[in-house]
Amino acid sequence: MRVLRTQVGIVGAGPAGLLLGHLLHLNGIDSVIVENRSRDYVIDRVRAGVLEQGTVDLLIAMGVGERLQREGLRHDGLYISFRGNRHHIDMAELTGGKAITVYGQNEVVKDLIDARIATTRPLYFEAEDVSVGALESSSPVIRFRHGGADHEIRCDFLAGCDGFHGVCRPSIPERAIATYERIYPFGWLGILAEAAPSSTELVYTCHERGFALFSMRSPTITRLYLQVPPDEPIENWPDEAIWDEMLARMTTSDGWKPRVGRIVQKSVTPMRSFVAAPMRHGRLFLAGDSAHIVPPTGAKGLNLAASDVLVLARALKAYYEDRSTGWLDEYSDVCLRRVWKAQRFSWWMTTTLHRAPDESAFDHQRQLADLDYLTGSRAAMTSLAEQYVGLPAEVSFESAGL
Ligand code: FAD
Ligand code: PHB
């Protein structure tokens, strides 16, 4: 058995774990990151695309925003489409100049892995049988097998950054954690297509046939989503059927529609809202999807992961400076205030734009009135815009050592 010591043991090399590792590095705090998948798998996984203004600012302040600034696509606005018409929401104008940036999560993760490797601090990929223990002691541990040898990492603190299906949250005794959940009766079929985006901004569509979303990854790649049943087998959707449905839902009365191209990736994701509270047990701190899941309609998941780890980095920095535990004790409460606001926004975006299978005729007319109000009221558009670009950060970058 190989026994190692570190200050912070991080489980998971997704956005949460990698961002935390780098924030700690910038503060001279030692960490070990343990990931059960391969490096290629982690980088190739196609997921988020929208970064809030604050997430972009954070990546730049951390010194990992160089490629993001070069290749990211800044969007000042977005479109909401219903009854065949697109309505523009000028987010920058409504929020005093804030915007979102489209930059794939896999690019963020790639940049962060490169930064981690440059620090020479440990990052284990393809770790097997990962488990955590001694959570309530002053020396919690991560155990795993790697390269045929058993490893034990003894830590001061653990960060559970291992996503919704990870091992950290289930290692907390059930009595010590409350969970809140809502499962939606639909999922998203997502595709990447080799087609130049036909709009420079995202288009969220509520159509009689269901929700559809137009997004992009680069000047040559379009990213599109369709509402489908949650357990829909992808085999039910040959490429031609996907394009027929995308065009049926997205084409607007002014003739706008997505450009068709070769589909290079497709998958179905179910949708849920989930919160575990508190986000801490003993010396284990949960961050990102391991503690909460939002339906992707509000584009908040990765951004919440970033704000959690900023709060955690501030608390760990303070601990190592003068052994103060006040901010560690406040971690969960500070994060959960933002998490619940993002939950509310994501639920609202989801229910306002999707067709529920059990909705009544009244529900649908009310939904259309909601969209009509949203796109006709400056106050309503401002509310959407300020949440979509991201509410102000809970803690300053300075307090986290940036
Ligand atoms: P993850 O990315 O899940 O990372 C967890 C890591 O832990 C993974 O690498 C995993 O392999 C590893 N792991 C798991 N179990 C173990 C174990 N036992 N041991 C070791 N390692 C383990 N968010 C946005 O902000 N904007 C968007 O536009 C957006 N769009 C989305 C679109 C889709 C279709 C989906 C599915 C999600 C979207 N999200 C979006 C959400 C976003 O992708 C997630 O919230 C984000 O990945 C959370 O990061 P994380 O690091 O907390 O978790
Ligand atoms: C994406 O580009 O993948 C994307 C955009 C907006 C969302 C979700 C995902 O709400």
Side-chain angles (χ1 to χ4, degrees), residues 11-17 34-37 41-42 45-51 105 127 130 161-167 188 223 225 269 287-290 294 296 299-305:
V11 185
V34 179
E35 163 66 47
N36 65 352
R37 300 288 193 157
Y41 181 93
V42 169
R45 198 164 32 194
V46 180
R47 293 173 84 183
V50 171
L51 305 183
Q105 175 167 332
V130 179
C161 301
D162 50 347
F164 187 66
H165 300 288
V167 290
W188 277 11
R223 175 84 168 139
Y225 297 99
T269 318
D289 276 17
S290 76
V294 284
K300 287 284 164 261
L302 187 163
N303 294 295
L304 278 182

Side-chain angles (χ1 to χ4, degrees), residues 184-198:
Y184 297 84
F186 37 75
W188 277 11
L189 187 165
I191 64 163
L192 278 179
E194 285 173 347
S198 60

Side-chain angles (χ1 to χ4, degrees), residues 19-68:
L19 276 168
L20 179 64
H22 203 64
L23 281 166
L24 296 177
H25 163 74
L26 295 173
N27 283 289
I29 300 168
D30 195 22
S31 67
V32 173
I33 306 181
V34 179
E35 163 66 47
N36 65 352
R37 300 288 193 157
S38 70
R39 179 177 173 165
D40 286 348
Y41 181 93
V42 169
I43 291 177
D44 291 342
R45 198 164 32 194
V46 180
R47 293 173 84 183
V50 171
L51 305 183
E52 292 177 354
Q53 181 74 59
T55 306
V56 171
D57 295 344
L58 176 65
L59 290 165
I60 294 170
M62 288 170 66
V64 289
E66 194 259 331
R67 201 162 64 92
L68 161 67

